[in-house]
Structures are given as structure tokens and as C-alpha cells.
Amino acid sequence: MEEKRVICASCDIACSVVAQVEEGRVVKVRSSRNPLFRDNICMKGIYAPKGFAHPNRILEPLKRVGERGSGEWQIVSWETAMADIGERLRGIIERHGPEAWAVSTSQWNTSTDYGLGRRVMNLAGSPNWISGVSLCAGNTAAVNRMTYGWFPWPDYTQTNCIVLFGHNPRRHSWTPIYNNIRRAQKRGAKLIVLDPRRSENAELADLWLPLKAGTDAAMCLGWLNVILEEGLHDEDFAARWTHGFEAFRERIREYPVERVAKITGVDAELIRKAARTYATNGPSVIPWTPITDQQRNSTSAIRLHCALRALCGYLDVPGGETLQGFNPNIVPESAIELHGALSGAQRAKQLGADHHPAFTYRGTAALKEPTRRVWGHEYANLITGSYMAVPPAVFQAMAHADPYPVKAFFVLGNNALMSYANMHLIHKAIMNQELVVVHEQFMTPTAQLADYILPGDAWTERPWLHDAWGWMAQVRPSEQAMQPPGECRSTFEFWRLVAIQLGLQEQFPWASIEEFHNYRLKATGLTFEEFAARYDVYFAGTEKFKKYEKTGFATPTGKVELHSTILEDLGFNPLPYYREEPPPNAEFPLALFTGVREQEYFQTGHRHIPELRRRKPEPEMYLSAATAQRWGVEQDEWVAVRSKTGSVKLRANIRDDMPENLIRVPHGWWKPEMPQGVGKLSGAWDYADAQVCPDDEDFLDREQGIPHLKGIPCRIDKLAA
Ligand SMILES: Nc1nc2c(c(=O)[nH]1)N[C@H]1C(S)=C(S)[C@@H](COP(=O)(O)OP(=O)(O)OC[C@H]3O[C@@H](n4cnc5c(=O)[nH]c(N)nc54)[C@H](O)[C@@H]3O)O[C@H]1N2
Ligand SMILES: Nc1nc2c(c(=O)[nH]1)N[C@H]1C(S)=C(S)[C@@H](COP(=O)(O)OP(=O)(O)OC[C@H]3O[C@@H](n4cnc5c(=O)[nH]c(N)nc54)[C@H](O)[C@@H]3O)O[C@H]1N2
Ligand code: SF4
Ligand SMILES: [Mo]
């Protein structure tokens, strides 16, 4: 038996693990013996080889032969598929301009396409790239950059206090973060959890603040009110290193604790106690949380997290939150992407940038010079969350040619139909395309609507360099453990072939993925093979703390922008604020949130793996006993949860961790065993939460245009037997 050191990509947290190989196939995945990674593995990683060897795996390129979504496919070669795709894409670009080509990718691609997709799009002239990272980490990275020029990583090893805004890592959900938190607690670090539900982490916390869903920004305003009024902040830092402190303080005065208690539903004294603990028991950390990525006050909430870190003196100090910069010995994805190649005229066409610019080219333009000054590159695309188009605007253009037509849609490692808000619009958008290309491992509901499905390889089947999402200055190698089955090929290969079709070979000079990795590692003097043999993890030797004392922050003012000059220039409120919820509504008196990730699956994936599916066969809504009683819902009864945009069928699970009038809707359910094709989509029309998530302006964050998934008005309807 042979062993290979690989990086798991069965979720997006990227554990370093070991693959055991017999007769050219991975038979088992176990945890690494390196003490840094030893405890990091979950059931999804363990069952990954079964998932990849499953008969549902797509092994050959498929060309649609019937109507779109008819489920009639013909097997073709990669060469035939790519020639036809190339010809049709060139035609669409000729007729409608390169902006008529949109691409949607996911977290997977932050680790597996290395920025090559953006490179090809930028060279071809399309600014319309979207991704799940607009709802998860990427947008937080972009808003952090707007405030202090980089996205910090918490120093779990030395922190004294961890604050989780909703975020709830468990043994089988983002295991490395779960382990980091538990180790810190064992050392004596305090844990503060803000969650409407008594979550697993709330159970283990020193303080639990059961706030109303969607009110995180208001809570932060309350904390800052306590901290500034009681003088618990770092005055020296505020004076020397922040821009707009006095105006910010005035804004904070508008949110006395009593007002915040009313908005959030949390006792005023508990709010004070938590704020004091954060400010005086430091260094404290607020690890990035997807919860505030998915709210209509997202930009304010994220900026308030930034302000808390900065004003309490926790930025770039041991035990606080570190601004690590680029690893100087590897070519960063931000440089591979060649954003400079996209003309000003094409940038200006980026969809959504006029109304919701925060993470678009327009919103990030003012960071170019400061980023070069401080971090040595003009573009810093951390977690690929900057320079994106706005998803709802892209779907609008695809469905209604508004403001111009988008006619080609490429989807890589992403179940786009189900992974944004308003599935009805996304469905219409996809049906209205001339060319839909999906690079996938499985016949997802999105793939069922494609013209071409190209079979993707898996993380055990390719050599890979993980650059920590550009977030930390570390690089980890992942060895290829086996050959991909059938005709499965990597995203690298996909983009190489697209580049050839668009006549861009010169700017895509790498014939193989190894050559490309060697190019990225050149400054280390090692080839990928040598690098992988030598390192489990490679840290860059940059200065560790308070680098800003030498360079300033990478913002237009060189300071932490509590008052954002960027937002001001874009015509938005430069100070954080709280936008009140719409008043309760007689038709939809309950609220729902999507989330509480399933420990057995990653997002919309993995339901085909029997060992995992047995553990959680059906999509479950959670509700409290009192809410169930009021709505006449029995345990295990199937009901419809309806919002103004649609409804989903779910099995009721009455739980004592749920507060009243709040419903949990699970994300991403479809059943691979159910009938495929238009109108059915393997149960996506029954279960997919994207149907109940609205995307009208009331439910979009103003600055970013991302949808509100935490606190959507809804009701419960009985299902006919
Ligand atoms: N409505 C709604 N939308 C959401 C969310 C929500 O709660 N509700 N959550 C948001 C969040 S937090 C996230 S992270 C995103 C996640 O959105 P995505 O990143 O799109 O995640 P998945 O749903 O897992 O879809 C990934 C797809 O890639 C395929 N795949 C896996 N590995 C590979 C590979 O190596 N190569 C290729 N070619 N394909 C691969 C899988 O089979 C799967 O179909 O969704 C966001 N969107
Ligand atoms: N096994 C497994 N692990 C995963 C994933 C998976 O699909 N499966 N997905 C991964 C991904 S991409 C992500 S983004 C993370 C997400 O993982 P988490 O960050 O843990 O998010 P959730 O599990 O969706 O919800 C966490 C908590 O948020 C609370 N909550 C709901 N609404 C609000 C609100 O408005 N404010 C606050 N403060 N809390 C609220 C819920 O009650 C819940 O307890 O999980 C990752 N880990
Ligand atoms: S938490 Fe599980 S699925 Fe995610 S990377 Fe680690 S082993 Fe893989
Ligand atoms: Mo996520």
C-alpha cells in the first residue's frame, strides 16, 4: 500500500490528510500524523473515496441532444465538445460582446482553478464572473480590505477570547476551526456565542446572547457603544491609526444599549457584559463568520467587526487578528488573474456594479494604489472575493437581457441553480441561454440544464497547491494519489482548452498542471515534486506583527477607515448603520434562516453516498414546540415553508434549541435518485431553499447586493396527504 499526502476538498476548509492507495485507487483517507493537522478529518473526508467511485459519477463529456433539460445526452470526446463550445462562445462574443459570457464558480474553485478562469475571462474581455464566495468569506474579505486593506486571520494559539457571531463549527463541520476553538478553550480562553438558537457552541460558551436573526450589525453597534462610552478602547491606536474616529463615535452614540436590546431581543446587561469581556479580556478574536455574509446589513456588520478589532487594539498583534499579506515566494492567484488586462470599458460593464459596487471593480478601484504600496501587488483577490460581478444582476441580464444580454453561462464546481437567491429567476436565466457549460462530477440540477457537461476530476486525482485562499502566508502541497477515472479532467485542463479556443495560448503557456505549479513556485528554487517531498506546510518568512507601523494600512488614507472614503465616494453612507427589519407581516408572521449545515454533507453535495445519506435521509426544518403547537405541526410531519418567492417541502423536527417563531430551513437539498430534467430536477423544485430566498432590493445588502438569508418572513402551510 502506498500513501500520499493530500488536501481534502470535500468541503472548503482544506484539511491536510493522507490517502491510502492500492492498485492505483484510493481506498481510504485517514488523518495526517503531522501534529498541526492530526485531529482534522471528518466523515465527509473519510467517505470521499466512496463518493468518487460511485456509479453516479460522470465519467465522459455529455452533449445535450434533446430540448434543454430533456435529459437526452450523447457521449462525445473532449476534443469534439471543446471545438463546438469554442465556436459557439466565439459567436456569442462576436454578436453580443465578451460581457455576454458569464461564469459561476464556487469555493472549490478558489482552491482548484488558481485564478486561471479569471485570467482567461480578463483576456477575453468579460468582467462577469460570480461565485458562492459572494455569500461566503469572499465578500467579507473584500469589505475588510475596504476598511483596513487586508483580511485578518485569528491567532487561535494565543487568544484569550473568541466571539462567534452565529458561526458554529462542529466535530464534522469545519473540523479544523472546531479544533482550534476547543484547544483555545482548554487553555482558558473565553467563548462568547451570539446565536438565536442554543447551538452546540452556545452550549459550550461562557456567554450566550440569543439575538434575533438578522440583527448582528445592531449588536455590534451596541457593543461599540459600551466600549466607547466606558473608554475601554485603545485610545492611542484610535488617534494614530484610524480615519473618522469622531464621526464614527457620533454614529455609535445613536445606538445606546437599550435601543440595541430592543432590536436584538437580548437583555441590556448581557450585552454590556459581553462587550466588556471582549474589550477587557483580550486579545480577543472575531473569527470570520458566514452568518454576517448573508444579511441585508452585511456590509455594516462586517465593517463593525473590523472596527471592534481595530479599536480594541487586536489588529495584527499576538493573540489577535493577523494581517499576513502575500507569500513572497509563490506567484499569487491575484497576479495570475491578470485583472490589469481587462480594459476600463469592459470593467465598466460589470453587472451590478452601478447599484451594489462593494466587491466589484468599481468598488475596489481606490484600493489599487494602496494595495501596491503596502502589499506589493495592485490586485489582492483574497478568497477570490474582490472584482466580482453581483449575482442577482447577472441572473437578471441572463433572463431578461437587462441592461444587456448574457447568452453564455459556464458553471464550474458549483450548483448555481440552487446556490444563490431566487431559484425561479436563476432557472429562467439558465433556460434563456444559448450556451450552458457545466464542469461537474455529478448530474446536479444545474448540470441537468446544460448543453455540455464536462467530467471533473476530484481532489485525490490531481496535484494541487493550496495557498490558504491568499488569506494566510502559507502554502501546502497536495500530491496526486491516483489517475482520474474515465475522461475526467481538471479545471486547469478545462481553462487551458478554453484559452486555446479563444486564441489565448500565448498567455496560457503551461502545457500541464505540474508546469504551472513549477511556475508558481519558481522563487523557492524547487519544482512541485521537490516542494511536495519537502513540506507539509510552507510558511513565508514575513514579519509577523504590526506591519502597518512601517507601511500604513492599504487604504486610501493609509489608516483604518472607520469612516470609509471608498463608500463615501461611491455614494453610500460612509459610517456603519442598522437598517431595521420590515415590520411583521400578517401573511408571513414567522422568520426563517437557511443554515445549520448538515454534518453529513457539504452544501448541495454528497446526498448520493449511502453511508452518509442513511444518517440524514430527509431535509428537516427545525422549530420550537410552542411554534409547532401554534401552527398545528406534528413531529415528522411534512409541511411546506413558504415565503413571498416560493415554498419548500420539509419534514418537521421539533427541537428545544429553537426560539419561538424562527424556522431553520436546510440549505441545498435535492435527491440524486429522483427523476431528472426540467420540471423535476431531482427534487430541487421540492426542497431547494433558494426558492424561498428573495432577491429584491429590500432583501439585498445595499452596498454589496448579496441576499439576506437570516430572517426571511415566512409561514407554514399544511400539505395535502
Ligand atoms: N440559497 C442559498 N444559497 C447559498 C447558501 C445558502 O445557505 N442558501 N450558502 C452559500 C454558501 S455558505 C456557500 S459556501 C455556497 C456553496 O456553493 P458551492 O460552492 O457551489 O457548493 P456546492 O453546493 O457544494 O456545489 C459544488 C459542486 O461542485 C461539484 N464539485 C465538487 N468538487 C469538484 C471538483 O473538484 N471539480 C468539479 N468540477 N466539481 C466539483 C460538486 O459535485 C457540487 O455539485 O453557497 C452559497 N449559496
Ligand atoms: N458538515 C458540513 N460542514 C460545513 C458545511 C457543510 O455543508 N457541511 N458548510 C461549510 C460552509 S461553506 C460554511 S459557510 C459553514 C457555515 O457554518 P456555520 O458558520 O456554522 O453556519 P450554519 O451552520 O449555517 O449556522 C450556524 C448558526 O447560525 C445561527 N444563526 C442563524 N441566523 C443567525 C443570525 O442572523 N445571526 C446569528 N448570530 N446567528 C444566526 C444558527 O442558529 C446556527 O446555529 O459551514 C461549513 N462547514
Ligand atoms: S472538514 Fe472534512 S470535508 Fe472538510 S476538508 Fe476536513 S476532512 Fe475534508
Ligand atoms: Mo460557505
Side-chain angles (χ1 to χ4, degrees):
M1 188 189 59
E2 216 189 341
E3 296 205 318
K4 295 282 184 185
R5 289 169 306 133
V6 295
I7 295 178
C8 177
S10 281
C11 84
D12 44 11
I13 205 74
C15 295
S16 289
V17 294
V18 172
Q20 301 183 329
V21 186
E22 269 175 27
E23 292 168 15
R25 296 178 68 91
V26 173
V27 289
K28 197 176 164 194
V29 172
R30 66 161 174 84
S31 57
S32 164
R33 299 221 163 86
N34 184 324
L36 284 172
F37 312 124
R38 199 170 41 208
D39 303 327
N40 298 346
I41 195 165
C42 80
M43 58 178 134
K44 295 181 298 306
I46 289 169
Y47 286 112
K50 290 223 166 183
F52 297 144
H54 194 278
N56 282 9
R57 177 94 181 259
I58 295 171
L59 298 176
E60 275 132 334
L62 299 177
K63 178 185 181 174
R64 165 170 81 81
V65 286
E67 295 278 289
R68 184 179 300 290
S70 63
E72 292 163 51
W73 305 97
Q74 183 191 348
I75 294 176
V76 294
S77 70
W78 271 86
E79 288 59 40
T80 309
M82 293 312 292
D84 188 33
I85 290 168
E87 190 181 325
R88 289 163 69 178
L89 181 59
R90 289 192 303 271
I92 289 167
I93 290 175
E94 229 168 77
R95 285 193 302 282
H96 302 284
E99 64 275 14
W101 175 32
V103 175
S104 176
T105 74
S106 74
Q107 264 76 355
W108 301 107
N109 280 72
T110 64
S111 339
T112 60
D113 102 339
Y114 322 98
L116 291 168
R118 292 311 299 270
R119 184 185 186 94
V120 173
M121 290 180 78
N122 285 330
L123 291 166
S126 175
N128 290 326
W129 184 91
I130 58 171
S131 166
V133 301
S134 64
L135 290 176
C136 184
N139 58 329
T140 300
V143 174
N144 273 261
R145 286 188 62 212
M146 178 187 283
T147 310
Y148 41 58
W150 198 263
F151 185 31
W153 179 259
D155 178 5
Y156 290 104
T157 62
Q158 300 185 69
T159 189
N160 288 330
C161 176
I162 299 173
V163 183
L164 299 176
F165 278 85
H167 194 31
N168 184 38
R170 285 157 290 161
R171 179 67 193 85
H172 298 274
S173 172
W174 275 353
T175 311
I177 310 289
Y178 169 87
N179 289 334
N180 284 338
I181 297 168
R182 300 286 90 82
R183 274 187 220 116
Q185 279 193 290
K186 225 179 239 166
R187 270 195 302 103
K190 291 227 175 333
L191 179 66
I192 304 177
V193 170
L194 301 101
D195 195 313
R197 186 179 73 93
R198 202 181 64 248
S199 68
E200 288 78 353
N201 278 284
E203 294 271 9
L204 299 170
D206 298 278
L207 293 174
W208 168 41
L209 282 64
L211 79 178
K212 232 180 97 195
T215 64
D216 295 71
M219 181 60 78
C220 295
L221 289 160
W223 281 29
L224 278 153
N225 187 285
V226 176
I227 290 165
L228 296 181
E229 292 302 305
E230 297 184 6
L232 307 179
H233 60 292
D234 180 338
E235 273 181 47
D236 182 55
F237 184 93
R240 288 176 55 205
W241 288 111
T242 66
H243 173 75
F245 179 66
E246 281 314 318
F248 183 82
R249 184 197 280 258
E250 278 309 308
R251 172 55 50 86
I252 295 298
R253 287 201 175 111
E254 295 171 28
Y255 294 89
V257 177
E258 282 67 27
R259 178 175 175 202
V260 170
K262 226 184 213 158
I263 298 171
T264 60
V266 177
D267 174 69
E269 212 32 58
L270 188 54
I271 296 175
R272 286 195 189 93
K273 193 166 171 190
R276 288 176 192 139
T277 304
Y278 174 79
T280 61
N281 199 70
S284 307
V285 296
I286 304 174
W288 159 67
T289 166
I291 307 306
T292 46
D293 288 349
Q294 306 170 347
Q295 295 178 352
R296 57 206 283 285
N297 286 296
S298 173
T299 303
S300 284
I302 296 167
R303 280 182 29 77
L304 288 159
H305 289 164
C306 297
L308 281 163
R309 293 176 187 128
L311 288 174
C312 293
Y314 299 151
L315 214 48
D316 226 12
V317 297
E321 311 217 27
T322 57
L323 303 168
Q324 301 194 6
F326 290 109
N327 185 319
N329 294 329
I330 174 171
V331 179
E333 287 187 10
S334 302
I336 290 164
E337 289 170 347
L338 291 184
H339 291 289
L342 189 66
S343 72
Q346 287 311 105
R347 272 171 207 228
K349 294 180 189 163
Q350 191 165 47
L351 287 162
D354 42 359
H355 295 306
H356 302 291
F359 50 60
T360 67
Y361 283 114
R362 179 171 164 247
T364 46
L367 289 169
K368 195 166 140 181
E369 185 47 36
T371 303
R372 194 194 50 70
R373 177 172 53 77
V374 175
W375 301 114
H377 291 270
E378 288 188 336
Y379 296 95
N381 200 3
L382 313 184
I383 321 183
T384 69
S386 296
Y387 324 116
M388 289 185 283
V390 182
V394 170
F395 296 125
Q396 186 66 21
M398 287 167 64
H400 302 294
D402 167 24
Y404 57 74
V406 167
K407 285 293 177 192
F409 188 48
F410 286 21
V411 182
L412 287 98
N414 165 235
N415 197 347
L417 179 71
M418 305 170 54
S419 296
Y420 299 95
N422 195 353
M423 179 161 135
H424 301 88
L425 175 67
I426 305 171
H427 184 258
K428 190 161 187 189
I430 295 177
M431 294 306 282
N432 193 35
Q433 294 300 290
E434 286 174 21
L435 177 62
V436 178
V437 177
V438 172
H439 186 246
E440 247 301 342
Q441 295 165 339
F442 296 99
M443 188 56 87
T444 62
T446 305
Q448 292 171 31
L449 300 175
D451 293 282
Y452 279 99
I453 307 175
L454 296 165
D457 65 359
W459 49 268
T460 45
E461 299 161 3
R462 58 177 169 250
W464 180 21
L465 266 183
H466 191 270
D467 68 354
W469 311 276
W471 190 350
M472 286 161 277
Q474 55 151 268
V475 183
R476 284 179 288 144
S478 179
E479 299 174 300
Q480 181 171 13
M482 63 180 278
Q483 289 299 319
E487 287 298 312
C488 295
R489 296 192 191 176
S490 65
T491 41
F492 169 87
E493 192 58 15
F494 176 85
W495 285 116
R496 196 179 72 82
L497 296 173
V498 175
I500 290 172
Q501 287 300 325
L502 295 178
L504 301 169
Q505 296 94 314
E506 249 173 63
Q507 296 100 319
F508 202 116
W510 312 281
S512 71
I513 196 164
E514 288 83 358
E515 248 180 59
F516 173 68
H517 292 329
N518 292 345
Y519 158 77
R520 290 191 75 189
L521 289 170
K522 203 162 165 204
T524 64
L526 301 173
T527 62
F528 175 77
E529 214 178 285
E530 293 161 344
F531 182 85
R534 185 170 310 177
Y535 296 108
D536 270 352
V537 57
Y538 171 81
F539 295 100
T542 50
E543 258 173 280
K544 278 196 100 167
F545 300 108
K546 292 203 177 180
K547 295 171 286 291
Y548 60 83
E549 287 186 340
K550 282 194 193 138
T551 58
F553 289 94
T555 58
T557 55
K559 306 240 171 123
V560 175
E561 296 207 352
L562 299 175
H563 169 285
S564 170
T565 58
I566 296 178
L567 286 175
E568 185 170 46
D569 288 347
L570 293 168
F572 290 88
N573 197 326
L575 295 167
Y577 59 93
Y578 183 72
R579 202 172 150 202
E580 301 271 349
E581 302 284 306
N585 163 332
E587 192 183 359
F588 300 112
L590 301 173
L592 72 81
F593 70 86
T594 77
V596 185
R597 300 309 181 193
E598 316 267 357
Q599 299 213 68
E600 294 75 9
Y601 313 119
F602 179 69
Q603 305 292 102
T604 75
H606 298 153
R607 270 81 172 171
H608 64 285
I609 304 172
E611 288 81 356
L612 298 175
R613 184 67 179 281
R614 264 201 296 278
R615 300 171 57 107
K616 184 148 301 168
E618 302 291 349
E620 287 181 0
M621 70 111 119
Y622 300 166
L623 73 175
S624 75
T627 308
Q629 197 181 24
R630 198 148 0 90
W631 288 77
V633 176
E634 308 272 341
Q635 174 69 22
D636 294 329
E637 181 183 347
W638 283 87
V639 293
V641 174
R642 182 182 305 281
S643 78
K644 67 175 185 180
T645 52
S647 76
V648 281
K649 288 179 213 155
L650 302 168
R651 193 163 77 181
N653 188 355
I654 299 169
R655 294 168 52 119
D656 65 6
D657 57 357
M658 290 298 290
E660 283 202 37
N661 299 325
L662 186 66
I663 285 175
R664 173 263 186 169
V665 170
H667 169 54
W669 268 86
W670 60 288
K671 294 183 176 174
E673 71 277 13
M674 285 175 72
Q676 300 179 359
V678 140
K680 305 192 174 75
L681 298 178
S682 300
W685 286 124
D686 296 295
Y687 314 118
D689 63 304
Q691 295 170 96
V692 295
C693 305
D695 68 346
D696 50 298
E697 291 297 330
D698 257 359
F699 289 90
L700 296 183
D701 175 77
R702 280 188 190 132
E703 294 81 1
Q704 301 169 55
I706 56 94
H708 185 66
L709 306 183
K710 312 292 175 193
I712 299 169
C714 71
R715 57 178 292 109
I716 301 173
D717 286 339
K718 288 272 176 191
L719 286 176

